[in-house]
Amino acid sequence: MTSTAAVPPPRATYRRLSVEERRAQLLLAALGLFAHRAPDEVSLDEVAVAAGVSRPLVYRYFPGGRQQLYEAALGSAADELTLCFTEPPVGPPTERVARVLDRYLRFVDEHDTGFSALLRGGSVVETSRTTTIVDGVRRAAADEILRHLGRMGGERPAGPRLRMMVRSWIAAVEAASLIWLDDGKRPAASELRGWLVDHLIALLAATAATDPETAAVVNDLLALETSDGPAGQLAERVIPIVAEAAHLLPATAASD
């Protein structure tokens, strides 16, 4: 019988990460920490431990220390958050907005403490650059909503009243998200999303009453909506309430 020498198990192959891969690894580790803690509470040592590297290596890629790392991580998170508002122009506009908000609220849920600290400000690492990054997300979000309303770029740019209305709604979404976090993420995200879509429709209707451009947008939007979609369901709930206000109309309008 021929004996065969035991074959040692293959050794793990070490692969040196490229500069881009290493930077991405460090940013991912930092984002994981910033997501659930205020930025000024996270140390570079913790980032190094989370990434499985040494502190000097973190400094090699981010010589500006925590400030530079935070700004880079914030930029990466901003790109992810901006993508939440990107939706193909298919189907009723309010259903598209609902899908956008589902992704947005999921992001808020997964980055709760960091999201709250970022938008409330007051962090020792907050600078004009971080503020610019956050404002860029807000503007990009507003542009995407205007695109769903058929008023972004090309021959039909949004006028000042419509743009102001959409940006004020973005601010309301942001404020509601912070309140939602303060209240222990209640009500359910789906309920909050539905209310925010209703809020957008209500703002559009109120603005359309005095702005011809918004009135045209609402007219085009309603033509694409369905009875069982967000706009149709809101109309079913609101029309009986509005009917109770008939006595507020001028006598001639009421008789008509």
Side-chain angles (χ1 to χ4, degrees), residues 93 144-151 162 165-166 204 217 221:
E144 287 298 323
I145 296 301
L146 286 168
R147 185 171 288 109
H148 292 306
L149 298 177
R151 286 295 191 277
L162 180 59
M165 187 229 81
V166 169
L204 281 166
V217 166
L221 181 149

Side-chain angles (χ1 to χ4, degrees), residues 15-62:
R15 184 176 70 86
R16 183 183 298 275
L17 298 180
S18 68
V19 172
E20 293 77 12
E21 290 172 328
R22 180 66 74 186
R23 180 181 172 83
Q25 178 198 28
L26 295 175
L27 285 177
L28 184 62
L31 280 171
L33 295 170
F34 290 139
H36 301 294
R37 292 168 59 190
D40 48 343
E41 296 177 358
V42 176
S43 70
L44 286 185
D45 285 332
E46 291 175 295
V47 174
V49 170
V53 301
S54 65
R55 179 188 174 96
L57 183 63
V58 179
Y59 265 111
R60 183 188 307 172
Y61 282 84
F62 299 96

Side-chain angles (χ1 to χ4, degrees), residues 90-99 148-149 197-198 200-201 204 217-235:
V90 178
T94 57
E95 293 182 16
R96 297 180 223 158
V97 173
R99 290 192 291 271
H148 292 306
L149 298 177
V197 174
D198 289 349
L200 176 61
I201 298 171
L204 281 166
V217 166
V218 169
N219 186 61
D220 292 344
L221 181 149
L222 291 176
L224 298 172
E225 295 295 321
T226 61
S227 60
D228 59 348
Q233 293 177 6
L234 180 61

Side-chain angles (χ1 to χ4, degrees), residues 161-162 165 202-212 214-215 218:
R161 288 284 301 281
L162 180 59
M165 187 229 81
L203 281 174
L204 281 166
T207 308
T210 55
D211 180 49
T214 306
V218 169

